[in-house]
């Protein structure tokens, strides 16, 4: 026999009202109770009761007053930035970065650990994360009881479930139980997601993606990925692997990618692929550090350097054109440290390349912008995973 629809309890209703008001204050505050009544559609009595509870708990605080028409001044409310704290972790190709944020997403402490390109053992990464958690808590003077959790952005596919596992071919990770490894050293709530998705959420909340309901945030660094947002929600696919844009094919039988396939977009526009093509063209890579080397290449005026940069812009533009044709976004945000280095110098050419490789109608409905949050966006976005849970 099929069961009927579940009945919502009074507790469920209160929790839902609380979440609605918290989100309204977090993204739209400071606001008065009257403004909250208008923006949320909740009754004045409900707003008064729930905000009273939140004030008593210290989740929100008063933030001054504004004059009202003919009556008493209205008290403004906002989320208390020191009610709780979130840690964001960026597991990148060359580093593990751990940052601690308050609820206003102001960075309070940071720890960086270098990774050698050939050393990405999961146990080593877990040790760096655990050490970083201890360091930032001590530096900020925050006790673990005030922590809302730890968000972690990682490369590759995160297979969510009771014990999420990570598949990252470029790291040599296959079904790595990162959460279980971290549980040996911390009891804090853990939230793990793909780094491109965490960066995308940061840009959507605080950066160039604000206000867009249909968007793609593209991460271009050593590797390449994307966060696809449809109707304000991240599209994940059947098992969470949607967004592996870097491993779409742009040249059949082309260059070998780090994933083992031929002709992937990442092999042409990821920093490692760009520098590899430059070396194959006879250029001299300026440094073992990818960021230093790519910046030098973009400043190089030699024929080989110009050719490689022009080809990179064309391939990246073609990749963006594919995104436009497939998803019809209203906005594409190009981020990641390599994407920002390239885009700051060649954004007009990148837009033109995308135009040539996209259908005219959807291209005309799309804007292509650069990310506003810089290279720390993955860690910031990872922290938003924690805040998202808090707001719910």
């Amino acid at each position: 026999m099929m069961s009927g629809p579940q009945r919502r309890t009074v507790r469920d209703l209160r929790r839902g009202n609380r979440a609605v008001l918290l989100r309204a204050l977090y993204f739209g505050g400071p606001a008065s109770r009257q403004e909250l009544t208008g923006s949320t559609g909740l009754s004045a009595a409900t707003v008064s009761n729930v905000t009273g509870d939140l004030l008593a708990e210290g989740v929100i605080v008063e933030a001054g007053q504004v004059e009202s028409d003919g009556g008493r001044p209205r008290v403004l409310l906002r989320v208390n930035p020191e009610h709780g704290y979130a840690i964001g972790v960026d597991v990148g190709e060359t580093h593990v970065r751990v940052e601690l944020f308050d609820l206003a997403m102001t960075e309070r402490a940071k720890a960086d650990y270098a990774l050698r390109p050939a050393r990405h053992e999961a146990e080593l990464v877990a040790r760096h994360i655990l050490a970083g958690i201890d360091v930032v808590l001590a530096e900020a003077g925050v006790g673990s009881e005030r922590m809302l959790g730890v968000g972690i952005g990682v490369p590759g596919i995160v297979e969510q479930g009771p014990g999420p596992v990570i598949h990252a071919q470029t790291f040599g990770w296959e079904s790595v139980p990162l959460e279980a490894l971290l549980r040996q050293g911390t009891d804090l709530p853990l939230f793990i997601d793909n780094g491109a998705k965490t960066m995308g959420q940061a840009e959507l909340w605080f950066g160039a993606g604000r206000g867009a309901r249909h968007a793609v945030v593209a991460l271009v660094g050593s590797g390449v990925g994307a966060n696809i947002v449809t109707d304000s929600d991240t599209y994940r696919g059947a098992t969470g692997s949607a967004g592996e844009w870097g491993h779409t094919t742009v040249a059949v039988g082309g260059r070998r990618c780090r994933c083992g396939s031929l002709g992937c977009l990442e092999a042409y526009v990821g920093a490692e692929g760009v520098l590899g093509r430059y070396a194959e063209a006879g250029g001299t890579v300026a440094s073992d550090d990818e960021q230093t080397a790519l910046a030098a290449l973009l400043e190089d005026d030699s024929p080989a350097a110009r050719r490689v940069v022009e080809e990179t812009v064309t391939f990246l533009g073609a990749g963006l054109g594919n995104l436009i044709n497939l998803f019809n976004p209203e906005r594409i945000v190009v981020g990641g440290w390599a994407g920002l280095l390239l885009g700051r110098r060649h954004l007009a050419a990148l837009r033109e390349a995308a135009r040539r490789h996209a259908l005219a109608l959807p291209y005309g409905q799309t804007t292509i912008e650069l990310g506003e949050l810089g290279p720390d966006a993955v860690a910031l976005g990872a922290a938003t995973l924690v805040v998202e849970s808090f707001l719910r």
Side-chain angles (χ1 to χ4, degrees), residues 268-327:
Y268 292 89
V269 305
E272 183 176 308
V274 174
L275 294 171
R277 288 192 295 113
Y278 180 51
E280 292 164 9
T284 300
V285 177
S287 171
D288 290 335
D289 178 73
E290 282 188 347
Q291 296 193 34
T292 301
L294 184 60
L297 170 58
L298 293 171
E299 296 292 338
D300 190 344
D301 196 39
S302 69
R306 289 200 306 270
R307 184 168 66 254
V308 168
V309 171
E310 289 170 3
E311 290 173 353
T312 301
V313 168
T314 298
F315 276 112
L316 183 52
L320 296 177
N322 288 339
L323 291 174
I324 291 169
N325 290 341
L326 281 169
F327 298 107

Side-chain angles (χ1 to χ4, degrees), residues 156-202:
I157 298 168
V158 180
E159 191 175 356
Q160 300 288 355
V165 295
I166 302 165
H167 310 271
Q169 286 182 245
T170 57
F171 273 30
W173 288 9
E174 182 62 36
S175 300
V176 167
L178 182 61
E179 180 176 345
L181 294 174
L182 294 172
R183 278 284 163 248
Q184 299 173 29
T186 184
D187 294 324
L188 293 173
L190 300 173
F191 304 83
I192 304 174
D193 208 343
N194 171 269
K197 291 185 173 68
T198 71
M199 186 201 79
Q201 180 147 306

Side-chain angles (χ1 to χ4, degrees), residues 107-169:
E107 181 191 291
R108 295 298 190 92
K110 179 166 70 173
D112 269 302
Y113 301 89
L115 290 176
R116 296 203 302 272
R119 291 291 307 276
H120 294 124
E121 294 93 337
E123 293 79 7
L124 174 64
V125 169
R127 287 199 300 272
H128 285 329
I129 294 172
L130 292 172
I133 291 172
D134 290 340
V135 167
V136 297
L137 288 176
E139 184 178 325
V142 174
S144 60
E145 72 282 356
R146 301 180 68 191
M147 292 302 304
L148 300 172
V150 181
I152 305 166
V154 297
I157 298 168
V158 180
E159 191 175 356
Q160 300 288 355
V165 295
I166 302 165
H167 310 271
Q169 286 182 245

Side-chain angles (χ1 to χ4, degrees), residues 207-229:
R210 281 174 296 183
R213 293 180 58 219
H214 302 277
V216 179
V217 183
L219 183 151
V220 184
S222 295
V224 176
N227 183 6
I228 300 158
V229 177

